[in-house]
Amino acid sequence: MKIRTFWAAALERALSTRSVVWLHGVRRAGKTVLCQGLPEVEYFDCELPRVRRTLEDPESFLRSLKGKRVVLDEIQRLDNPSEVLKIAADHFPTTKVIATGSSTLQASTKFRDTLTGRKSEVWLTPMMSADLADFGGTSLEQRLQLGGLPAHFLEPDETGHTFQDWLDSYWARDIQELFRLERRWGFQRLLELVLAQSGGVFEASRFAGPCEISRPTVTNYLDVMDATSVVHLVRPFSTRRSTEIVSAPKVYGFDTGFVFHYRGWTELRPEDLGNLWEHYVLNEIHARSQRTRVHYWRDKQGHEVDFVIPRRGDAVDVIECKWSSRNYDAKNLRVFRQYYPKGRNQVVSADLDRSFQESAGTLTVEFVSLADLASRLP
């Protein structure tokens, strides 16, 4: 069993602050294996009927496990999962409970109480840099092509059947259970198109016809995908200047392996590395910061920077993603800094072990490795 040390430590920190921890992430991200690898845990799979019957009386169940560490895997299978967690938080504070699911608690009416103030949350993303070190003997290029779901990464399937199997399981066990959507073909077609065009600016009207659904339905489906973390909406950063893009989000698929597959690629070409690296950097930001407040910036003349992260006051950090640190053109950055002069200018590159600085006119640009970037995230 591979121990993902970064995530095991994140769970332990979460358990030290609250007695209830909500561990969420996409299907097959590794939640079950991660929980089973923790020391001294009692594991319960809520997909099993006998476990669900036991939890029909949550007080008796929790009383029998007083003072222990408990994992309730796939807790959304219960009729009232939030009731169990609320009772645990309020009446059995010495019992440490890790509950897992594929979406945020706010995503579905299945959870009648989001347990505000009663829980910690850990968002398990696809494999990030620390996971590559734990798994050992793997290259970054392998991770970009195969993706970051451990099962897909460790046992590659050249036929591509695993991607369709995952999509079918996602529809049946997440979307149908939590959201009760009806139009399977339109939903799956939209997801396939989003993955194929991942990283681009999203315009709902462009997808309505190919998916045979209305524009409002496209928007609704995209919100569901975002809530279940299979896509990430990166919204434009703007102070409502007339020259800026202010509303159209960029949409990124959750995993580079799925992007690679649904773009129809069969081998990793040099020209593909930059786009997949941008996805991987976004995944690292999500994993390290555990939040989604990442933006991009574009003006109506076509100048663009990859990611911006607002800080306190009026400072805004820029993160540009470049596979190679050579020949960086700071033209777009200079335009951005005319509007927003305060903040760090960072170019994160795959070919760097050590950071360095260069001047771009009056600006200082920091070229950093992914590890250096991770240490600087808020």
Side-chain angles (χ1 to χ4, degrees):
M1 180 183 295
K2 300 285 187 180
I3 302 299
R4 300 168 72 178
T5 53
F6 175 88
W7 296 108
L11 276 180
E12 294 292 355
R13 286 194 300 272
L15 286 169
S16 71
T17 61
R18 291 281 192 277
S19 61
V20 172
V21 174
W22 177 247
L23 173 64
H24 63 96
V26 298
R27 187 159 298 282
R28 300 179 191 168
K31 300 183 293 294
T32 298
V33 174
L34 175 63
C35 289
Q36 290 177 335
L38 296 174
E40 300 176 344
V41 294
E42 300 274 348
Y43 175 82
F44 298 90
D45 184 353
C46 296
E47 292 194 327
L48 299 176
R50 61 176 175 79
V51 172
R52 294 200 295 272
R53 287 195 297 270
T54 301
L55 281 159
E56 288 175 358
D57 185 350
E59 290 184 61
S60 296
F61 173 82
L62 291 165
R63 190 175 295 111
S64 70
L65 295 164
K66 191 173 182 179
K68 294 187 177 181
R69 289 151 58 104
V70 181
V71 173
L72 300 178
D73 203 2
E74 300 287 351
I75 195 173
Q76 74 274 6
R77 294 301 305 275
L78 303 181
D79 289 335
N80 191 355
S82 52
E83 179 187 48
V84 177
L85 299 181
K86 185 176 180 180
I87 291 172
D90 291 347
H91 300 286
F92 298 91
T94 63
T95 302
K96 301 290 188 177
V97 178
I98 301 173
T100 82
S102 298
S103 66
T104 62
L105 284 179
Q106 295 85 352
S108 168
T109 55
K110 190 79 179 278
F111 292 90
R112 300 161 198 170
D113 189 325
T114 59
L115 306 172
T116 302
R118 292 184 173 95
K119 70 182 186 310
S120 296
E121 289 196 25
V122 175
W123 174 17
L124 179 62
T125 69
M127 293 163 54
M128 34 83 78
S129 57
D131 295 317
L132 285 185
D134 289 337
F135 286 7
T138 58
S139 70
L140 176 58
E141 288 84 352
Q142 285 178 292
R143 163 62 180 83
L144 296 181
Q145 179 172 347
L146 299 176
L149 301 188
H152 293 188
F153 181 80
L154 295 172
E155 297 181 11
D157 176 12
E158 295 182 359
T159 68
H161 291 161
T162 54
F163 296 100
Q164 187 60 51
D165 289 346
W166 185 94
L167 202 61
D168 292 341
S169 179
Y170 169 63
W171 170 262
R173 301 175 67 185
D174 293 333
I175 302 307
Q176 286 295 84
E177 260 185 32
L178 295 174
F179 299 96
R180 306 295 184 186
L181 301 185
E182 296 178 355
R183 303 194 64 176
R184 172 175 177 164
W185 186 89
F187 182 88
Q188 290 194 344
R189 180 59 177 158
L190 177 61
L191 180 53
E192 291 170 357
L193 291 175
V194 167
L195 290 168
Q197 301 175 36
S198 182
V201 174
F202 187 85
E203 297 177 11
S205 57
R206 288 172 43 213
F207 294 89
C211 299
E212 300 179 9
I213 54 180
S214 67
R215 188 183 186 283
T217 301
V218 170
T219 302
N220 178 49
Y221 284 1
L222 190 69
D223 288 341
V224 169
M225 294 173 192
D226 183 41
T228 52
S229 298
V230 300
V231 302
H232 306 304
L233 273 60
V234 177
R235 301 191 182 279
F237 177 82
S238 170
T239 54
R240 299 288 172 177
R241 298 177 188 273
S242 61
T243 59
E244 295 174 319
I245 302 298
V246 300
S247 59
K250 292 176 75 171
V251 179
Y252 289 81
F254 75 102
D255 181 63
T256 59
F258 280 76
V259 172
F260 185 93
H261 174 74
Y262 282 102
R263 284 186 173 173
W265 296 342
T266 57
E267 60 182 21
L268 192 61
R269 304 167 302 177
E271 58 266 33
D272 304 328
L273 292 170
N275 180 272
L276 295 178
W277 172 248
E278 187 176 325
H279 285 72
Y280 187 63
V281 171
L282 181 62
N283 184 76
E284 190 82 10
I285 294 170
H286 287 158
R288 298 281 182 175
S289 66
Q290 288 288 291
R291 64 192 181 98
T292 58
R293 193 166 175 245
V294 182
H295 303 269
Y296 79 100
W297 177 84
R298 178 184 288 180
D299 69 9
K300 293 178 181 178
Q301 287 70 48
H303 302 105
E304 181 177 330
V305 294
D306 293 333
F307 301 127
V308 298
I309 299 179
R311 289 185 177 268
R312 289 183 179 179
D314 56 357
V316 184
D317 288 353
V318 168
I319 299 172
E320 291 269 67
C321 308
K322 303 299 178 186
W323 181 254
S324 171
S325 58
R326 294 185 295 274
N327 301 320
Y328 172 65
D329 185 351
K331 177 181 65 175
N332 293 345
L333 176 62
R334 284 194 290 267
V335 175
F336 177 80
R337 285 303 182 197
Q338 290 175 8
Y339 299 117
Y340 308 101
K342 296 181 181 180
R344 304 181 83 157
N345 306 312
Q346 302 165 104
V347 177
V348 57
S349 300
D351 61 351
L352 289 181
D353 294 321
R354 299 177 62 182
S355 300
F356 65 91
Q357 295 183 351
E358 285 187 356
S359 295
T362 59
L363 301 178
T364 298
V365 180
E366 301 174 88
F367 291 80
V368 301
S369 67
L370 193 59
D372 288 336
L373 177 69
S375 69
R376 301 173 178 198
L377 290 172

